[in-house]
């Protein structure tokens, strides 16, 4: 079995990224499409309305896997106001979003409602992020921020819309097909590395396709120096074109497809993956206490298929496969 065949055993829900109440949504919509791709996550312009009229457009995305129950529906989130005289217009009641404890939302300024991005699963709201939060993470930055180390490891965080993509399978494209989609993988990878670094113990397994990338990318080198220096059992995987030097890490070299075509970053806490107990709503705590992993496979040149997860069973299975076969 290869990692690509192993990945085929996982599936996840279909979700949609929806922009709300944008007066000029096209630039933002195009940027979202170029960032999130067009596979399991569909990006649409979805102005919300009330009653039995229109719902947020999901472009055919429905619920796959376990059915969600008791969540916040699009209809509950909308109200009707009056603008420009007597003309009623739909608006999103951000207070409802804030009060719904099971729907993570980052944003405190009511004015941010005009720049809101929602993650939908069927007709349910899974998460919400302001455009500012999402922009700081992936939309308004490029990969140089991470390659050069300009963004400190301690500053890497996941907006709710990205956090809500856990366990959703995806297909993303690299340059030149897309300038932005690969950045999503980089951001999630850095978040997992931050969880390992903050924990200061456990095991981190990371693949680089070519091991020379560790020394070629200043930011990557600094991250793995910091992680390994804390005492995390650090394992690096890739083609041995140039072995990294002076790193307190175990290097695993090979040239079969699991080494050449995979992108994984898997953190396993010392006691093994399990649900977080102290603060299960915090992504960082979930990763530190319970484990977190990303697995993607390059199925054709510059096309990546995969998922990332906090699920204890999935993290265990991915870690076990890597430990036994690579």
């Amino acid at each position: 079995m290869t990692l690509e065949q192993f990945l085929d055993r996982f599936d996840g829900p279909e979700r949609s990224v929806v922009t709300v109440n944008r007066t000029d949504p096209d630039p933002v919509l195009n940027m979202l499409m170029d960032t999130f791709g067009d596979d399991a996550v569909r990006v649409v312009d979805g102005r919300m309305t009330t009653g039995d009229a229109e719902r947020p457009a999901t472009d055919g995305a429905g619920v796959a896997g376990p059915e969600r129950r008791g969540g916040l529906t699009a209809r509950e989130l909308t109200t009707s106001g009056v603008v420009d005289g007597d003309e009623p217009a739909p608006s999103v009641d951000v207070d409802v979003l804030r009060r719904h404890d099971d729907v993570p939302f980052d944003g405190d300024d009511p004015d941010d409602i005009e720049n809101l991005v929602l993650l939908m699963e069927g007709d349910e709201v899974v998460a919400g992020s302001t455009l500012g939060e999402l922009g700081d993470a992936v939309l308004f930055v490029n990969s140089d921020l991470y390659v050069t180390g300009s963004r400190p490891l301690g500053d890497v965080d996941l907006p709710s819309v990205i956090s809500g993509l856990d366990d959703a399978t995806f297909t993303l494209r690299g340059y030149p097909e897309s300038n932005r989609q690969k950045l999503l993988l980089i951001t999630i990878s850095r978040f997992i590395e931050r969880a390992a670094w903050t924990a200061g113990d456990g095991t981190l397994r990371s693949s680089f396709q070519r091991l020379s990338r560790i020394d070629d990318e200043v930011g990557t080198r600094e991250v793995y120096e910091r992680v390994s220096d804390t005492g995390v059992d650090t394992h690096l995987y890739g083609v041995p074109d140039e072995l990294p030097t002076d790193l307190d890490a175990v290097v695993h070299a090979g040239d079969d497809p699991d080494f050449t075509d995979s992108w994984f970053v898997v953190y396993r806490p010392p006691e093994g993956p399990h649900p977080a107990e102290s603060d299960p709503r915090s992504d960082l705590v979930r990763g530190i206490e319970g484990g977190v992993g990303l697995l993607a496979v390059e199925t054709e040149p510059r096309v990546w298929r995969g998922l990332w997860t906090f699920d204890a069973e999935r993290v265990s299975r991915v870690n076990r496969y890597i430990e036994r076969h690579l």
Side-chain angles (χ1 to χ4, degrees), residues 29-300:
L29 188 62
N30 292 338
M31 194 176 295
L32 286 167
M33 291 179 67
D34 194 30
T35 299
F36 289 98
D38 54 4
D39 189 53
V41 177
R42 297 172 173 85
V43 184
V44 295
D45 177 19
R47 181 179 293 273
M48 289 187 171
T49 61
T50 59
D52 292 325
E54 300 176 21
R55 300 280 182 86
T58 58
D59 195 27
V63 178
E67 182 182 356
R68 294 177 56 84
R69 292 184 175 88
L72 175 63
T73 65
R75 187 183 306 173
E76 293 173 296
L77 190 58
T78 59
T79 62
S80 184
V82 176
V83 295
D84 296 331
D86 298 328
E87 290 295 323
S91 62
V92 174
D93 190 342
V94 71
D95 288 332
V96 172
L97 185 57
R98 291 194 183 104
R99 290 196 303 267
H100 220 281
D101 291 340
D102 61 337
V103 180
F105 169 60
D106 31 58
D108 296 319
D109 187 349
D111 292 337
D112 286 340
I113 195 62
E114 287 299 317
N115 299 306
L116 188 63
V117 179
L118 299 178
L119 183 64
M120 307 291 299
E121 186 175 319
D123 189 43
E124 290 189 7
V125 181
V126 179
S129 292
T130 64
L131 186 62
E133 293 283 347
L134 205 54
D136 288 344
V138 293
L139 294 184
F140 307 144
V141 300
N142 59 49
S143 59
D144 288 345
L145 193 70
Y146 297 101
V147 171
T148 63
S150 300
R151 173 163 288 174
L153 190 56
D155 290 348
V156 178
D157 210 348
L158 299 180
S160 293
V161 164
I162 295 180
S163 174
L165 293 173
D166 62 314
D167 291 314
T169 54
F170 57 76
T171 298
L172 299 175
R173 291 163 177 80
Y175 182 85
E177 284 79 5
S178 170
N179 290 321
R180 311 193 58 81
Q181 290 181 22
K182 199 173 176 181
L183 182 59
L184 198 59
L185 293 179
I186 297 173
T187 303
I188 295 169
S189 297
R190 279 290 186 267
F191 172 79
I192 298 172
E193 291 155 359
R194 180 192 178 192
W197 170 65
T198 305
D201 56 10
T203 303
L204 180 67
R205 303 183 187 278
S206 303
S207 67
F208 296 90
Q209 293 83 61
R210 294 177 295 102
L211 286 166
S212 59
R213 286 184 48 219
I214 298 172
D215 286 331
D216 291 344
E217 299 176 358
V218 174
T220 301
R221 171 77 192 198
E222 291 178 349
V223 164
Y224 280 86
E225 285 178 346
R226 298 182 71 180
V227 169
S228 60
D229 285 349
T230 65
V232 174
D233 182 17
T234 306
H235 295 253
L236 312 175
Y237 301 79
V239 175
D241 56 339
E242 184 176 334
L243 298 180
T245 58
D246 300 324
L247 267 181
D248 187 13
V250 180
V251 175
H252 305 260
D255 57 6
D256 64 35
D258 279 353
F259 287 93
T260 61
D261 300 337
S262 66
W263 181 331
F264 57 78
V265 185
V266 181
Y267 173 65
R268 180 189 185 279
E271 63 276 22
H274 62 280
E277 297 178 358
S278 64
D279 186 2
R281 289 179 56 86
S282 165
D283 291 329
L284 187 59
V285 171
R286 290 169 72 192
I288 293 170
E289 292 188 1
V292 56
L294 163 72
L295 171 61
V297 175
E298 191 172 13
T299 56
E300 56 185 275

Side-chain angles (χ1 to χ4, degrees), residues 10-15 40 64 162-170 286 293 306-312 314-315:
F10 296 127
D11 58 8
E14 292 187 358
R15 291 174 178 165
I162 295 180
S163 174
L165 293 173
D166 62 314
D167 291 314
T169 54
F170 57 76
R286 290 169 72 192
L307 58 76
W308 73 282
T309 184
F310 291 104
D311 182 83
R314 288 185 168 184
V315 173

